[in-house]
Amino acid sequence: MEESTSPRILIVDDDPETTDIICRVLSKEGFDVTTTVDPRQAIEYVEDEKFAVVVSDIQMPEISGHELTRAVHDTVKGTQVILMTAYSTIDKVVEAYQVGASDYLLKPFEDLDEVAEAVRGAVRRHQRWHEALRKTYRQSEQRWA
Amino acid sequence: MDLSDLYTPQELAEKRISFLERVLAFYNEIPETADRARTVGHKLRGTGGNLGLADLAERGTALQWQAQEGASSDVLKGELARIRPQIEAAIARERAILSERGA
């Protein structure tokens, strides 16, 4: 099977309607999208596959988006996490950034393009992270050559 | 981009019915009134709003806010009871769309 070169995005929300809306928006934008309504399965996906961006709800049964963000960063470096919620307080926003989310979306979305723009921004950050990593490796190889 | 770029009217009606029936199920599944109000309000606001159910999303936002601010159980029960027929009416409207289109 031919491997996709489109950035891979994982969407996690216990409401299948929300994952479906975001999946359709991002698929139209050319991203390679995987969805799940189960945050435990999301952790398994992240362990097995490489995603540029994870878009996750905060309030989910059993595992919160904050816990999922920590698990993603413990498992893989460079993957960007966008958290979203319909329950927003200043504390929640601060906590989202504290656990390592790179962006924050409030539901309902003001505009579906807002979601696509947030993911495009996260993909750019993911690419910059990998470029910086490659550059660092090259420099360290030259130093030891 | 909006919902009409993503779904046919039938698909959207089916999504809304499925979502609203799940919200109605919370009325029976969540015994504690404040939890029930928070969940129903949260779902209507977030997913309901994303599905274009603007009136219900507005009611959900108000309910979520009341639950968050510690409104009494009686107040929350009253609000939940007022929202329920609106959810049922929305389901009936979406079913009518499906039936008009022969789905």
Side-chain angles (χ1 to χ4, degrees):
Chain A
M1 193 167 66
E2 200 171 313
E3 201 172 315
S4 165
T5 53
S6 304
R8 302 204 59 206
I9 316 295
L10 175 63
I11 303 162
V12 193
D13 193 305
D14 58 319
D15 274 331
E17 294 81 11
T18 297
T19 60
D20 193 64
I21 289 171
I22 301 173
C23 177
R24 286 175 190 240
V25 169
L26 298 182
S27 296
K28 272 182 177 283
E29 294 282 320
F31 294 113
D32 179 0
V33 184
T34 301
T35 67
T36 179
V37 294
D38 178 359
R40 288 191 193 283
Q41 190 177 40
I43 292 172
E44 288 173 18
Y45 281 154
V46 169
E47 285 168 350
D48 294 342
E49 301 168 52
K50 287 178 182 163
F51 291 96
V53 181
V54 175
V55 182
S56 174
D57 190 23
I58 289 180
Q59 280 188 283
M60 296 182 288
E62 298 185 27
I63 297 178
S64 74
H66 294 127
E67 289 168 311
L68 177 62
T69 304
R70 286 192 198 96
V72 168
H73 291 318
D74 286 347
T75 307
V76 60
K77 303 299 175 200
T79 296
Q80 304 293 304
V81 180
I82 299 172
L83 288 177
M84 53 186 181
T85 186
Y87 177 78
S88 186
T89 62
I90 297 292
D91 288 348
K92 293 257 180 198
V93 179
V94 169
E95 192 181 356
Y97 288 109
Q98 279 174 340
V99 296
S102 69
D103 208 343
Y104 190 86
L105 291 170
L106 192 58
K107 294 192 287 184
F109 310 126
E110 283 188 20
D111 186 307
L112 294 175
D113 293 318
E114 172 194 18
V115 182
E117 182 49 44
V119 171
R120 281 195 294 267
V123 167
R124 284 194 295 272
R125 285 191 293 278
H126 177 258
Q127 287 167 343
R128 279 201 299 272
W129 193 89
H130 276 280
E131 280 162 19
L133 202 62
R134 275 195 291 272
K135 198 173 170 184
T136 307
Y137 274 129
R138 275 200 303 273
Q139 285 174 348
S140 105
E141 276 173 359
Q142 284 164 0
R143 199 171 299 145
W144 292 102
Chain B
M1 198 184 304
D2 60 33
L3 289 170
S4 64
D5 298 316
L6 305 179
Y7 297 106
T8 64
Q10 293 98 315
E11 285 173 332
L12 187 57
E14 283 165 4
K15 292 276 171 202
R16 286 172 170 170
I17 290 168
S18 163
F19 164 69
L20 291 169
E21 284 179 340
R22 212 166 57 250
V23 173
L24 277 184
F26 289 133
Y27 276 75
N28 299 322
E29 289 168 5
I30 305 175
E32 210 272 310
T33 305
D35 281 348
R36 194 184 320 137
R38 260 192 298 275
T39 303
V40 169
H42 178 77
K43 297 288 180 187
L44 287 177
R45 176 183 181 176
T47 304
N50 281 339
L51 286 169
L53 299 163
D55 292 346
L56 283 171
E58 202 174 308
R59 295 300 298 263
T61 302
L63 178 62
Q64 187 187 32
W65 186 81
Q66 285 176 308
Q68 185 183 328
E69 292 298 307
S72 73
S73 181
D74 284 347
V75 167
L76 295 176
K77 274 183 187 165
E79 191 56 24
L80 280 162
R82 276 187 288 278
I83 292 174
R84 186 175 190 139
Q86 294 182 341
I87 297 173
E88 289 164 343
I91 292 173
R93 272 197 306 276
E94 299 301 327
R95 287 213 172 111
I97 290 171
L98 288 181
S99 128
E100 274 169 26
R101 291 175 182 266

